[in-house]
Amino acid sequence: MAGVDKDMLAQFLLRMGDNTLILGHRVSEWCGHSPVLEEDIALANTALDLLGQTQLWLGYAAEVMGDGKTADDLAFLRDAWDFRNLLLVELPNGDFGQTLMRQFLFDAFHSVLLGRLLQSSDQSVREIAEKASKEVAYHVERSADTVVGLGDGTEESHARMQAALDLLWPYVGEMFASDDIDRAMAAAGVAPDPAGLRDEYDALVGKVMAEATLSIPDSSFAHKGGRTGATHTEHLGHLLCHMQWLQRAYPGANW
Amino acid sequence: MYAQMVKSTGEGVKDRDAMSPEEAAFQDKVDADIKIEPRDWMPEGYRKTLIRQIGQHAHSEIVGQLPEGNWITRAPTLERKMILLAKVQDEAGHGLYLYSAAETLGVTRDELTEALLSGKMKYSSIFNYPTLTWADIGAVGWLVDGAAIMNQVPLQRTSYGPYSRAMIRICKEESFHQRQGYDIMMKMAQGSEAQKKMAQDALNRFWYPSLMMFGPSDAESVHSAQSMAWKIKINTNDELRQKFVDQTVPQAEYLGLTVPDENLKWNEEKGGYDFSEPDWSEFFDVLKGNGPCNHDRLNDRVKAWEDGQWVRDGLLAHAEKKAARKVAAE
């Protein structure tokens, strides 16, 4: 681990933690509003897992940054341009189908990535990945089942799931758009270069979409700017208005 | 208490002489604390009253997700957000146990849901009050769950087996809920001036609605008398309310907060506090649908149900296709 640039490692950790934070937040918005009670419970479970992972990733990021900040400081006191999550996870929930499609597209990526992080040269990354990968193995199983069930359900559910896939597919490419940070992490053995995960991802997603009788759009266009922080969507700012409100309105208060 | 003003037979407790042999044998079992199980014979009034009571309790758990869910996205720390999410998830789980208990009495979850959404069945009046600040989340845990526990702990001994077993599981989680609520209140009461103000404001707004949770005095109620004979109601509303006040006042004092009741006074003779009655006309207004949040709460539930129709239909259609394919393959 000696050769890793601290700033770059911190950026990598923010990418991991911001994905789980923002997606966990989005999923938690469903609480009390799901189509069936079992889904309410399952979505809350998923959100809880993601937020638990956030504490670990952002906690480690804060430790690496070494300026006395905490995971909470990172979650509640950064502005939108400091966030490093994929654009996909900050998109609004839409209907239940859109939420589950977003979840599956992310879970598939997350499970492939966490599988590789089990071999990380960084012990803390390895430990977090060990805990998270068990949870995410279940997430991807559940979201895949639901995508299949709704894709291969009624005419209406099929149409809604296809619309969700069409809407979200252009946000998939960003997962694999590597940059200098990824190359530095790969060189140090901390994390794989995401570009190398695409084939495994496509195989998994292709299998599930085929079973769901859904067609993957024939376009490789990818929206970018989330994981670099260069251009988030307008939605992130609104999400932060909710999430950070108390911390911003009452600075320094102990909750 | 999540079940209020549950109607029973309306005829009061039946005299032993007027009971059929089946009814007498049933009452003997109840008196001997032998649990009644789904396949056992039971009076129709017992079954119907239980469906009303368990159903209302289940609905309260489900609608009760909404005022707390209102703050999940604004919880002030990651830990608070997770605790609140876990708590609201527990409430959904309680709803699930209770609907399952009701199903053993011959009513489906969908039927009960339809009755809630059409306004035929009620949920607890307390969930028609808004959660306006973060301190309200503390107050809901401390006062609302605290009041619920007062009723639910004795109900662990209720005569109907599935209900009793659901209550045992629920009570374990509720005591954790109450503690987390009090913990939020502690942080607020020991915090900045603004936080203290929020804590006092939350107590001011939730005190009387919490007292109303037990329902009006039922000392003379024929419904309550029958339910008590059947051991599906264990204590009177006034007994539980008194117990709640006696437990809660010292907790408020410890927090340095003032209970909003000028008449609150320790009564040495009765060994409990004297306190003001809540405004019962407000209670009946809320039950009639005129509480601050009745419209929003029910609308949210109706919207969730209607928006989810295509999901339920889709998953059902898929399950049927899958089963048909399996049969075709065999």
Side-chain angles (χ1 to χ4, degrees), chain A residues 1-16:
Chain A
M1 276 299 299
V4 182
D5 181 282
K6 291 272 181 214
D7 290 341
M8 286 198 170
L9 176 60
Q11 289 296 309
F12 163 74
L13 296 169
L14 288 177
R15 287 174 177 179
M16 297 301 296

Side-chain angles (χ1 to χ4, degrees), chain A residues 25 31-33 35 37-38 41 45 48 51 55 72 76 149 152-153 160 242-243 247 250 254-255, chain B residues 62 73-74 76-78 80-82 88-89 109 187 195 198 300-301 304 308 310 312 314 318 321 325:
Chain A
H25 183 96
C31 199
H33 300 88
L37 205 40
E38 285 81 353
I41 294 173
N45 249 334
L48 270 172
L51 291 169
Q55 284 185 312
D72 277 342
F76 294 96
D152 182 38
R160 283 177 182 260
H242 274 253
M243 189 171 86
Q247 290 272 3
Y250 301 95
N254 187 3
W255 304 96
Chain B
I62 300 310
T73 56
R74 291 178 290 169
T77 68
L78 291 170
R80 289 289 178 204
K81 194 195 282 284
M82 290 177 69
V88 179
Q89 186 195 31
R109 203 207 299 180
K187 277 268 164 47
Q195 286 175 303
M198 280 184 223
D300 274 4
R301 289 313 309 161
W310 72 269
R312 296 189 299 276
H318 176 70
K321 281 187 206 176
R325 280 197 289 263

Side-chain angles (χ1 to χ4, degrees), chain A:
Chain A
M1 276 299 299
V4 182
D5 181 282
K6 291 272 181 214
D7 290 341
M8 286 198 170
L9 176 60
Q11 289 296 309
F12 163 74
L13 296 169
L14 288 177
R15 287 174 177 179
M16 297 301 296
D18 288 346
N19 277 338
T20 53
L21 171 62
I22 301 300
L23 185 58
H25 183 96
R26 279 291 187 224
V27 175
S28 79
E29 291 173 2
W30 272 98
C31 199
H33 300 88
S34 301
V36 264
L37 205 40
E38 285 81 353
E39 289 301 334
D40 248 330
I41 294 173
L43 285 173
N45 249 334
T46 305
L48 270 172
D49 286 346
L50 292 171
L51 291 169
Q53 293 166 21
T54 302
Q55 284 185 312
L56 300 174
W57 290 122
L58 293 188
Y60 185 32
E63 188 189 319
V64 169
M65 288 171 171
D67 53 2
K69 288 205 173 75
T70 64
D72 277 342
D73 293 333
L74 292 176
F76 294 96
L77 299 174
R78 281 179 298 155
D79 203 344
W81 56 19
D82 293 322
F83 276 79
R84 294 292 178 264
N85 57 280
L86 297 164
L87 297 178
L88 177 75
V89 299
E90 70 195 44
L91 296 179
N93 285 336
D95 65 11
F96 183 79
Q98 190 177 317
T99 294
L100 263 292
M101 181 60 79
R102 182 187 62 198
Q103 190 69 39
F104 172 68
L105 293 174
F106 179 75
D107 288 344
F109 168 69
H110 206 196
S111 66
V112 171
L113 175 58
L114 287 169
R116 302 296 172 85
L117 292 181
L118 294 173
Q119 316 297 326
S120 173
S121 60
D122 183 310
Q123 190 188 340
S124 300
V125 169
R126 220 162 45 231
E127 285 170 2
I128 299 171
E130 270 165 29
K131 179 183 183 294
S133 60
K134 288 180 197 136
E135 296 166 348
V136 172
Y138 176 67
H139 296 178
V140 71
E141 188 185 320
R142 200 188 86 81
S143 59
D145 278 354
T146 314
V147 165
V148 169
L150 293 173
D152 182 38
T154 58
E155 206 175 309
E156 182 183 3
S157 73
H158 176 84
R160 283 177 182 260
M161 294 312 280
Q162 186 63 54
L165 180 57
D166 293 347
L167 177 76
L168 298 174
W169 189 252
Y171 294 91
V172 164
E174 189 189 10
M175 298 169 182
F176 309 100
S178 9
D179 60 8
D180 289 345
I181 294 166
D182 298 303
R183 284 183 279 277
M185 291 306 108
V190 173
D193 182 338
L197 306 178
R198 181 86 210 218
D199 289 347
E200 197 178 334
Y201 180 84
D202 282 343
L204 172 56
V205 171
K207 186 174 155 285
V208 169
M209 292 308 157
E211 213 183 318
T213 69
L214 298 172
S215 314
I216 294 174
D218 184 21
S219 162
S220 58
F221 175 76
H223 290 289
K224 288 178 193 137
R227 70 199 300 273
T228 61
T231 322
H232 279 283
T233 66
E234 289 180 345
H235 306 295
L236 181 62
H238 292 278
L239 183 153
L240 297 183
C241 284
H242 274 253
M243 189 171 86
Q244 299 183 335
W245 180 72
L246 274 177
Q247 290 272 3
R248 300 287 193 179
Y250 301 95
N254 187 3
W255 304 96

Side-chain angles (χ1 to χ4, degrees), chain B residues 2 60-61 63-64 67 123-129 140 144 293 297:
Chain B
Y2 287 169
S60 298
E61 299 282 359
V63 177
Y123 53 89
S124 176
S125 56
I126 192 71
F127 300 119
N128 291 312
Y129 289 87
V140 167
V144 175
C293 299
R297 299 289 184 250

